[in-house]
Amino acid sequence: MSVTINARQLQLLLDKIANHMGSEYTEALHGIRLDIDTKYLYAVASDRFTIAAARYQLSANDQPQEPWARTIPGAYLRSIREWIDTMKGAGLITISAAKDRLLFEGPQTDLSITVSTSLEFPDWRGVLRKHVEDAANGTSFPALNSSFLARFNNGDVLRARMTADDKPLLVFANDFLGAQMPVRHAGIYPCKDESFTDAHQDWLWTLAAGSKAADLDDPVFAEEDRSRYDVTTDVRETGETLLHTALLSVWDMNGKSKDKPDEFLAHCLSAVHAWMAHRYLDALYNADPRAAQAVVAETAGDLEDGEIGEFAWEAAEKAGFDPQKWHDDYEARKAEQAAAAA
């Protein structure tokens, strides 16, 4: 169970789909799927919102063999990338799978990583097959430069409308309008598939192995499991957490804690502060989505560090307040309560 590919091609294969890899909160998608059939080596990734597959045609020496697939965990991708960088582009790498390991054998050194064979990866062939076949009824199939598409990554939620093959792609958002011209076919930017029919035929071998019933409602694409993690760097998920916390605190506040003043006050403060934080985040996002994303990411880093007390103390001093007085007042209040209880 092995395939051979040169270092440069493996590097390109991984780089093409790396941006589509899921976060650590969805273990099955947090990595790159290496999928081998009798004709191609594929690299596949999905973050639940996008899915992408890149392929490399195997040489005659790699055939025939039984298809196999393993997911490279996201934690190992940097090590693999750095290992590939140590060799010449033409250097051959043999990739083999055995039980719970993937072995990369190079001209000078080898790299072995542990993988999980129990994680279910979505039927990516089926998901893409369904949408490619649905798109076969359309007529427009312009060629677009992906580096230009990246210029529209401005933090907005975009809507797009394809007009015709030789006409621009229109992009709309609140207070934003843009267009991207298609690549001109004059030999300068060659495009292998001149029509959708050509492209469809070129991928029939791959997509035919996918289920016609597969779609993005696969359970693996379900909401991320946060049971093992506490912090998110995503604005929308942060907003959801704040709203969820506010409601939970209100429900607890109106529940059994009514008869316990300390618990009631704690739930009340939690609900109030979660709602305030959500309103502030929502206002910031509407004013400047990129600033909101930066604040959420930086705050997530603070929470991961766990030194909230130290950060809050420094922030209070920087703002001109007196956290030492707050602390002294807090200790005095505790002493009064202890004396009263005695």
Side-chain angles (χ1 to χ4, degrees):
M1 295 174 63
S2 65
V3 294
T4 301
I5 181 174
N6 71 45
R8 175 59 176 163
Q9 291 299 326
L10 180 58
Q11 182 184 72
L12 290 174
L13 204 63
L14 297 178
D15 288 351
K16 282 181 179 180
I17 49 86
N19 288 339
H20 299 271
M21 183 178 72
S23 74
E24 67 269 27
Y25 304 119
T26 304
E27 190 175 5
L29 299 180
H30 185 53
I32 291 179
R33 185 76 162 180
L34 292 185
D35 197 324
I36 289 86
D37 59 26
T38 59
K39 193 172 182 180
Y40 293 100
L41 163 63
Y42 305 91
V44 188
S46 175
D47 58 6
R48 299 188 298 128
F49 308 104
T50 66
I51 185 169
R55 71 186 183 186
Y56 170 80
Q57 187 163 1
L58 302 178
S59 67
N61 295 332
D62 287 313
Q63 301 179 44
Q65 68 171 311
E66 290 294 322
W68 57 273
R70 297 288 189 276
T71 299
I72 302 173
Y76 292 133
L77 287 175
R78 181 175 179 179
S79 298
I80 293 174
R81 192 66 172 74
E82 291 176 349
W83 178 75
I84 296 172
D85 287 341
T86 64
M87 62 189 72
K88 295 180 179 179
L92 294 179
I93 297 174
T94 299
I95 308 173
S96 55
K99 294 185 179 179
D100 62 346
R101 304 194 72 79
L102 263 178
L103 178 62
F104 298 81
E105 299 176 84
Q108 304 295 331
T109 60
D110 300 339
L111 181 65
S112 178
I113 64 171
T114 303
V115 297
S116 173
T117 57
S118 62
L119 292 177
E120 290 291 334
F121 197 81
D123 179 5
W124 61 271
R125 289 176 175 83
V127 171
L128 293 172
R129 174 183 181 176
K130 173 182 174 60
H131 295 291
V132 168
E133 290 181 350
D134 287 347
N137 295 325
T139 56
S140 299
F141 192 55
L144 298 172
N145 187 316
S146 59
S147 64
F148 294 159
L149 282 172
R151 297 179 184 180
F152 291 102
N153 180 18
N154 60 7
D156 287 335
V157 175
L158 302 176
R159 293 182 180 274
R161 173 60 63 90
M162 192 63 69
T163 52
D165 285 344
D166 295 321
K167 300 299 181 182
L169 168 73
L170 298 178
V171 178
F172 298 82
N174 290 336
D175 303 315
F176 181 84
L177 173 62
Q180 178 176 330
M181 288 301 295
V183 172
R184 298 299 187 185
H185 295 267
I188 301 175
Y189 300 105
C191 187
K192 178 181 178 182
D193 304 308
E194 297 293 338
S195 70
F196 188 85
T197 301
D198 294 334
H200 192 190
Q201 288 292 326
D202 191 40
W203 279 87
L204 277 181
W205 165 270
T206 297
L207 301 182
S211 168
K212 288 187 175 182
D215 205 346
L216 290 172
D217 58 2
D218 187 296
V220 179
F221 290 112
E223 289 296 322
E224 298 170 335
D225 181 7
R226 296 284 170 161
S227 60
R228 294 162 49 198
Y229 306 92
D230 297 322
V231 187
T232 175
T233 59
D234 183 80
V235 172
R236 178 175 172 79
E237 291 168 0
T238 299
E240 179 186 12
T241 299
L242 292 172
L243 289 173
H244 193 190
T245 299
L247 288 173
L248 286 177
S249 298
V250 168
W251 296 330
D252 286 334
M253 183 176 64
N254 293 331
K256 296 181 180 178
S257 66
K258 278 188 173 182
D259 301 326
K260 300 176 181 178
D262 290 343
E263 284 190 17
F264 179 84
L265 178 60
H267 291 310
C268 180
L269 290 174
S270 177
V272 169
H273 291 155
W275 178 245
M276 290 170 62
H278 176 266
R279 289 297 303 273
Y280 298 154
L281 178 61
D282 184 59
L284 177 59
Y285 182 80
N286 284 315
D288 190 338
R290 283 178 288 188
Q293 181 60 60
V295 169
V296 167
E298 184 177 347
T299 304
D302 294 343
L303 297 177
E304 290 284 3
D305 288 340
E307 302 294 337
I308 300 176
E310 181 178 335
F311 296 150
W313 188 286
E314 292 176 355
E317 288 183 328
K318 186 177 181 180
F321 301 118
D322 188 355
Q324 184 61 56
K325 182 178 184 304
W326 296 346
H327 180 264
D328 295 342
D329 291 345
Y330 169 74
E331 292 295 338
R333 189 162 57 252
K334 279 179 56 180
E336 291 176 1
Q337 291 174 344

